[in-house]
């Protein structure tokens, strides 16, 4: 953040997927900065326990919203909360998501369809409606959680995250000069429940490629304060992203095929 300027990170933050992993790390970091919180997820018991623990630790107000963001009803409930000017959300962390284990060509489309609803449709609707509400107020922060995997042709999940990465960048450009800051978080592998939940085997991923969720979020919030369009936590992933964006596609395809083969072996 430039000297003499005030951080846009203040007021209430709404975090989708705020009960686990990267979302929970955002909730902790934002509460530590004094933000009140609204946490969104499907599991109501876990939401309530998380809210109680965050309130007890940081003394901030913590609301919970139980919603399935893969469905229209859940998306509408959260969108209305984001548009509420009476108790405005100043920071929106669009984070909820899950992995996809099913390859694209098995004839089974349900998991891809569900993942697209959660990580494309809900991100689109909540992001655009929030952006409009924040633009009217002339202030706000939106963080969209994409992924480095969006830079590789690695199945349906990568295709979805490529969309999130580009969507976030496009929003950021449209909102330049409005007082609303959009930053795309583009992490590499982060240790969370994500891989276990999706049944993704991780034994072939070397230790040095794993990021800590709290560290990734600290880097991201520092980048938000600097007004950055994109945040790629850690030097190693900045380097990997630099390489992937400039490498010949034939080489990127060879890397992707090797990664897919390793995943198959577990
Ligand atoms: N971990 C990684 O290596 C990694 C790397 C790059 C990007 N990401 C992205 O980071 C984001 C967070 O992932 P994570 O690693 O923190 O995973 P995680 O630990 O499994 O947390 C996922 C969170 O999303 C919520 N969620 C899942 N499906 C939902 C739905 N349909 N509606 C509402 N909430 C839902 C979960 O709560 P409920 O189950 O209670 O709903 C949970 O709070 C995702 O977008 C993921 O794609 C992760």
């Amino acid at each position: 953040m430039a000297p003499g300027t005030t951080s846009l990170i203040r007021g209430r933050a709404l975090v989708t997927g705020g009960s686990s992993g990267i979302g929970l790390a955002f909730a902790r970091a934002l509460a530590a900065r004094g933000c009140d919180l609204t946490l969104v997820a499907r599991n109501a018991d876990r939401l309530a326990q998380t809210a109680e623990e965050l309130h007890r630790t940081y003394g901030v107000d913590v609301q919970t919203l139980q919603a399935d963001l893969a469905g229209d009803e859940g998306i509408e409930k959260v969108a209305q909360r984001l548009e509420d000017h009476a108790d405005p959300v100043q920071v929106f962390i669009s984070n909820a998501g899950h992995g996809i284990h099913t390859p694209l060509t098995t004839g089974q489309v349900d998991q891809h369809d569900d993942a697209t609803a959660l990580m494309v449709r809900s991100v689109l609707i909540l992001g655009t409606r929030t952006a409009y509400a924040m633009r009217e107020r002339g202030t706000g922060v939106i963080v969209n959680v994409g992924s480095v995997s969006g830079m590789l042709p690695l199945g349906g999940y990568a295709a979805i995250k490529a969309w999130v990465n580009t969507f976030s960048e496009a929003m950021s450009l449209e909102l330049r000069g409005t007082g609303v800051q959009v930053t795309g978080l583009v992490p590499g592998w982060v240790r969370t429940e994500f891989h276990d939940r999706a049944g993704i085997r991780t034994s072939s991923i070397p230790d040095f490629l794993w990021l800590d969720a709290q560290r990734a979020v600290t880097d991201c919030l520092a980048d938000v304060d600097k007004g950055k369009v994109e945040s790629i936590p850690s030097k190693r992933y900045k380097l990997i992203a630099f390489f992937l964006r400039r490498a010949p596609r034939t080489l990127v395809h060879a890397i992707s095929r090797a990664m897919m083969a390793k995943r198959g072996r577990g």
Side-chain angles (χ1 to χ4, degrees), residues 19-20 22 42-43 68-69 95 157 161 188 190 192 195 197:
S19 58
S20 170
I22 296 171
R42 290 166 301 179
N43 185 324
D68 181 353
L69 291 174
N95 160 80
Y157 177 78
K161 288 299 182 180
V190 185
T192 67
H195 305 91
R197 282 198 203 215

Side-chain angles (χ1 to χ4, degrees), residues 189 191 202-210:
W189 280 299
R191 284 201 196 279
T202 55
S203 49
S204 61
I205 302 170
D207 269 357
F208 77 95
L209 283 178
W210 284 104

Side-chain angles (χ1 to χ4, degrees), residues 9-181:
I9 300 168
R10 56 177 187 267
R12 181 172 294 278
L14 185 146
V15 186
T16 68
S19 58
S20 170
I22 296 171
L24 178 57
F26 267 114
R28 281 192 195 292
L30 291 163
R33 284 182 174 222
C35 290
D36 290 327
L37 298 170
T38 304
L39 306 179
V40 179
R42 290 166 301 179
N43 185 324
D45 289 343
R46 189 158 177 188
L47 269 177
Q49 281 166 19
T50 308
E52 198 277 321
E53 193 263 314
L54 291 173
H55 171 67
R56 191 167 16 89
T57 309
Y58 301 100
V60 298
D61 179 57
V62 188
Q63 304 170 345
T64 59
L65 265 185
Q66 186 201 12
D68 181 353
L69 291 174
D72 286 347
E73 203 183 311
I75 294 174
E76 186 55 34
K77 185 173 172 182
V78 177
Q80 286 185 14
R81 178 64 193 87
L82 286 161
E83 289 171 330
D84 182 0
H85 288 293
D87 181 8
V89 171
Q90 167 77 10
V91 180
F92 172 41
I93 311 291
S94 189
N95 160 80
H98 58 68
I100 307 175
H101 190 46
T102 314
L104 282 168
T105 52
T106 60
Q108 294 167 23
V109 80
D110 287 2
Q111 209 192 3
H112 295 286
D113 200 23
D114 187 65
T116 306
L118 174 62
M119 292 184 281
V120 176
R121 188 171 156 71
S122 99
V123 172
L124 171 74
I125 295 174
L126 299 181
T128 52
R129 285 174 64 173
T130 307
Y132 186 73
M134 287 180 173
R135 191 179 191 150
E136 283 188 313
R137 292 196 295 271
T139 182
V141 170
I142 299 174
V143 174
N144 295 299
V145 180
S147 173
V148 167
S149 70
M151 297 175 195
L152 290 156
L154 271 175
Y157 177 78
I160 284 171
K161 288 299 182 180
W163 181 89
V164 176
N165 293 346
T166 304
F167 168 72
S168 192
E169 213 175 341
M171 267 185 106
S172 175
L173 297 188
E174 272 193 38
L175 288 168
R176 194 159 278 181
T178 63
V180 183
Q181 158 80 29

